[in-house]
Each structure stands twice: as C-alpha cells, then as structure tokens.
Amino acid sequence: MSDFINKTYLVTGATSGIGRATALALLKAGAFVGVNHYNDHDGFDDLVRELKDQCPEAGNRIIELPGDVSKRQAVEQMVAVLVEHTQRLDGLINNAGISQIKPFIEITDEDWDQLINTDLKSVFLCCQAAIPHLQKTGGTIVNVASELALTGRARFAHYTAAKGGVISLTRSLAREFAPEIRVNGIAPGPTKTPMLDAEAQVPGHQEPVDDIPMKRVATAEEIADSILFLASEKAGYFCGEIISPNGGSVMR
Ligand code: NAI
C-alpha cells in the first residue's frame, strides 16, 4: 500500500502478536515504525531478524521505543524520540494490552488498576502525546479494543470494562479531532497470539471455536491487515468506526 511510504507510525506493544504483525506490515509497506515494547528487547531483536529476512531495505526504518505505555513520562519520551528521529508522526496504533481471566468477585484493586492502566489509560496518554503531531500531518489513530467489549464475557470483567472504555474514547476523540485526524478502532475476535496461548493455560478456560461461523481463530496478520486498512487512505471516510473482524461470531 503506497499510502505508507516514508510516513511514520508508532505501534505500541509491537514486539508480540498483533502489534508485531502490524509493525512488520507497516515496515514492508514502506513506513518508518516506532516499535514500542515493555522490557522485551529480545522480542525487538527477533523482529529485526525477521525484517532482515523478509524486507532488508526496511532495516533503517525501525526505531526501538522501550517504555511502559501506562506511564505519562515514558509515553511522552517515546513520542518525542520518534518525532525527533523522523520529524513527523502520521499514525498511532494503540495496541499494547494485557488480559486476565478471573472471577469478578476475586478481582483485586491491584488487578483492576493494572488492567485499566495498561489497556485504557495508555490510550489516553498515547493519544494526548501524539495528537499535536498528528494534527500537523493530518494523521490517524487506530485503537485496538476487543470483540469481548461488545459481547461481555464471564471472568473478563476488568478487561471488557477497559476495552469498552477504549471504544467510547475512540468515538469521542473521533468527534473532537475530525476532520484533521481520523480516529477509529478495531474489536478483534480471538486471535492466535501469545496472549491467547497464555489464556488457554488458565484452568476451565476454552475458546468456543465451534461457535465461530469461520470455525477458527484469526491470525495476527489478518488483524494487522484490518488495522492497516483503517490507517490507510482507503478508509478515508471511516471516522469513529469500530470494525470487528471476528469470524462471524458478532454480526451487527
Ligand atoms: P500479546 O500479549 O501477544 O502482545 C501484547 C503486547 O503488549 C506485548 O508486546 C506486551 O509486551 C505489550 N505490553 C503489555 N503491557 C505493556 C505496557 N505496559 N507497555 C508497553 N507494552 C506493553 O497480545 P496480543 O494478543 O497481540 O494483543 C494485542 C492487543 O490486541 C491487546 O490490546 C489485546 O487486548 C487485543 N486483543 C487481542 C485478542 C486476542 O485474541 N489475541 C483479541 C482481541 C483484542
């Protein structure tokens, strides 16, 4: 997609799963990509190795941005470093997130705060830091929510509350910053990533794949394709929209 050539994107949580696939796709499409991670330098090295194999010419367009997206100072620093490097910011992909499966009654204050801070406050912080730069370029924001925010799910109360917040924040920002900045979101169904693999280890937890009309979970690359679509000029009239690639399990 030529839309991305020499543009600059920040992808949070970009050394694993959906974020990693998104960063790779943007790099292959010709973009400069700020790859945020939290204490995962090995994951960053691994991404650089894969990039060397698949798209060696992209090696000088990848910028490592370690930092905790739930901390204002870290977020402001990563945006500043990226903009200093490329002199511009065209897109922000708020992807970093954690999940936890726990009966509602057992969720502690610490669990709640960690999940809300990582999955929701991070979007607030990253958007605040990025928007002044995106206003200069007419940029775009894609927030990664979850299909579970649309359906709810037992033992996911704090996760779904955070992702529901991401959807509401997406719509309010879309209204506040259009037409300069397009803000949209994505609410994926279950996707084969380290997060889903970790959830599968939780006793009593199972993905109901047989109930999904497509009879499988998504690949990270499929979700990345939808994120790139929303970030591209092809989605030029999408504003405050939440698209949900979920194999047909939620039809609206
Ligand atoms: P993952 O666990 O493979 O990747 C998440 C990334 O976020 C990791 O790189 C992790 O280091 C990073 N991260 C976590 N806390 C961070 C922090 N404080 N600061 C910076 N980075 C941090 O997970 P996956 O599956 O790729 O998830 C990506 C996003 O997609 C998440 O927001 C998740 O909630 C969402 N999602 C995932 C689905 C799935 O089935 N895998 C379905 C729907 C949404």
Side-chain angles (χ1 to χ4, degrees), residues 12-20 36-40 67-71 78 94-99 117-119 122 144-148 159 163 186-197 199 207 217 220 223:
T12 66
T15 53
S16 175
I18 294 169
R20 187 182 195 278
N36 160 252
H37 64 80
Y38 186 37
N39 291 335
D40 188 22
D68 180 347
V69 286
S70 68
K71 299 287 184 322
M78 72 177 79
N94 281 309
N95 164 80
I98 54 172
S99 71
N117 287 342
T118 307
D119 289 21
S122 62
V144 181
S146 167
E147 171 209 30
L148 296 185
Y159 179 76
K163 294 300 190 180
I186 182 162
T191 306
K192 175 74 182 146
T193 67
M195 179 185 281
L196 200 74
D197 291 343
E199 288 175 359
E207 279 312 322
V217 302
I223 304 305

Side-chain angles (χ1 to χ4, degrees), residues 16-246:
S16 175
I18 294 169
R20 187 182 195 278
T22 303
L24 259 179
L26 285 167
L27 286 157
K28 286 192 212 166
F32 287 79
V33 179
V35 168
N36 160 252
H37 64 80
Y38 186 37
N39 291 335
D40 188 22
H41 181 69
D42 288 351
F44 179 79
D45 280 348
D46 190 60
L47 176 59
V48 169
R49 267 194 297 277
E50 187 169 346
L51 193 64
K52 251 189 200 147
D53 286 347
Q54 293 188 18
C55 188
E57 69 276 14
N60 64 346
R61 289 188 274 103
I62 183 167
I63 300 108
E64 183 177 14
L65 298 172
D68 180 347
V69 286
S70 68
K71 299 287 184 322
R72 176 174 290 279
Q73 205 188 349
V75 166
E76 288 177 351
Q77 196 185 345
M78 72 177 79
V79 170
V81 167
L82 183 58
V83 171
E84 190 179 323
H85 190 89
T86 63
Q87 300 300 308
R88 60 185 296 142
L89 185 63
D90 297 278
L92 166 65
I93 316 297
N94 281 309
N95 164 80
I98 54 172
S99 71
Q100 187 186 39
I101 303 175
K102 224 175 187 188
F104 177 66
I105 295 296
E106 293 173 18
I107 294 172
T108 64
D109 289 9
E110 290 71 30
D111 293 333
W112 178 269
D113 289 346
Q114 196 191 3
L115 221 142
I116 299 291
N117 287 342
T118 307
D119 289 21
L120 177 57
K121 186 179 180 190
S122 62
V123 180
F124 156 64
L125 293 175
C126 290
C127 288
Q128 267 198 348
I131 281 172
H133 302 287
L134 297 173
Q135 282 175 316
K136 294 183 195 149
T137 56
T140 185
I141 296 173
V142 182
N143 295 326
V144 181
S146 167
E147 171 209 30
L148 296 185
L150 309 173
T151 60
R153 186 163 183 186
R155 303 203 297 164
F156 278 88
H158 46 350
Y159 179 76
T160 54
K163 294 300 190 180
V166 170
I167 290 175
S168 297
L169 184 56
T170 300
R171 292 181 175 144
S172 292
L173 295 182
R175 288 188 185 276
E176 190 161 339
F177 293 102
E180 287 98 340
I181 302 175
R182 284 187 313 107
V183 187
N184 291 290
I186 182 162
T191 306
K192 175 74 182 146
T193 67
M195 179 185 281
L196 200 74
D197 291 343
E199 288 175 359
Q201 303 306 314
V202 175
H205 180 75
Q206 226 183 353
E207 279 312 322
V209 175
D210 286 346
D211 295 341
I212 301 174
M214 292 295 288
K215 302 292 176 212
R216 63 175 180 85
V217 302
T219 65
E221 289 72 24
E222 285 174 317
I223 304 305
D225 283 345
S226 295
I227 292 172
L228 260 68
F229 165 69
L230 284 178
S232 76
E233 285 158 23
K234 288 195 175 72
Y237 204 53
F238 280 69
C239 176
E241 187 60 46
I242 308 296
I243 62 170
S244 183
N246 58 48

